Amino acid sequence: MPLHPLLGVLTLASLLLAAAPVAADGRAGDFDFYVLSLSWTPEACASGQASREECDAPHGFLVHGFWPEYETGYPDYCPANQPARVPQAILDGVDDVMPSTGLAGYEWRKHGICSGLSPAGYFALLGKAARKIATPQLLTPGNIPSQPTPAKIEAAFVSANPGLAAAGMAVRCANNTLTEVRICLTKELAFRPCPEINADTCHARLISVTPIP
């Protein structure tokens, strides 16, 4: 018997919702891997999405987030016996990779607390993860192409970071402009595949890369 048209629409909508990454209930420390989100700062500053701290000096990639993740979905705002406020001394330890103290505090409250780590432990791991990633020469001053393909940026990251595979990252864009690169890491900071994250790679044919000032 054929499905009622309305039932077919509802079924399709349910499938689409199930396929999208969504927040899920979680316990601190109970997750599968980390996603390191690296924001392309020149574009974030040009579009007004970055703080004064981030835009005061020329930067390429800076950490936007370091997120505990499930294979499907992610936890946030986990209940935990941890302080909501991060001491300035801890934030000073990562100001070379995440200079915005406002963003760092927000990311801790929403995502970091789900790691099960203390603020000191979480931001130490965040700093270690960020410093592990080499920026490809393709995205350094004087070498930035005007309109590369997302695949070219992806391949440049893979080449510059032994062990990283295309299946373990995503190049993100908005309005056909590079905004972010996401890289998946185990709890021990080894590269790993992540199908749900990888599926969200930019599908534009060519993208612009806002130059570093």
Side-chain angles (χ1 to χ4, degrees):
M1 179 182 296
L3 288 174
H4 187 281
L6 178 58
L7 180 58
V9 170
L10 291 174
T11 301
L12 177 59
S14 299
L15 289 172
L16 290 173
L17 286 172
V22 294
D25 294 335
R27 299 192 309 272
D30 181 18
F31 63 98
D32 296 315
F33 61 98
Y34 286 106
V35 172
L36 179 66
S37 166
L38 299 171
S39 175
W40 183 245
T41 310
E43 176 55 24
C45 292
S47 60
Q49 301 298 309
S51 69
R52 178 189 56 78
E53 297 162 294
E54 295 168 284
C55 302
D56 272 350
H59 294 290
F61 286 106
L62 288 174
V63 175
H64 174 78
F66 185 55
W67 307 324
E69 194 89 10
Y70 299 131
E71 297 296 346
T72 300
Y74 58 89
D76 63 6
Y77 297 109
C78 297
N81 186 25
Q82 293 289 348
R85 184 179 179 278
V86 182
Q88 185 61 46
I90 292 175
L91 299 180
D92 288 345
V94 292
D95 63 2
D96 61 322
V97 296
M98 193 179 198
S100 172
T101 56
L103 175 62
Y106 169 79
E107 288 293 318
W108 162 251
R109 292 186 297 274
K110 183 175 182 180
H111 298 287
I113 205 164
C114 294
S115 68
L117 301 172
S118 67
Y122 171 75
F123 281 99
L125 194 64
L126 178 154
K128 186 176 180 181
R131 297 178 190 110
K132 172 188 175 77
I133 307 302
T135 297
Q137 186 176 5
L138 180 78
L139 294 171
T140 57
N143 297 301
I144 297 173
S146 59
Q147 283 195 308
T149 63
K152 185 172 183 177
I153 293 175
E154 190 175 75
F157 265 91
V158 169
S159 178
N161 294 275
L164 176 63
M169 64 176 293
V171 173
R172 305 259 296 166
C173 66
N175 300 318
N176 294 342
T177 301
L178 174 68
T179 57
E180 179 189 10
V181 170
R182 295 181 179 179
I183 295 176
C184 300
L185 300 162
T186 67
K187 295 179 182 181
E188 295 75 33
L189 302 186
F191 295 122
R192 57 152 286 166
C194 45
E196 187 174 74
I197 302 302
N198 178 252
D200 207 21
T201 288
C202 174
H203 296 296
R205 188 176 70 85
L206 298 172
I207 58 176
S208 299
V209 181
T210 304
I212 298 171

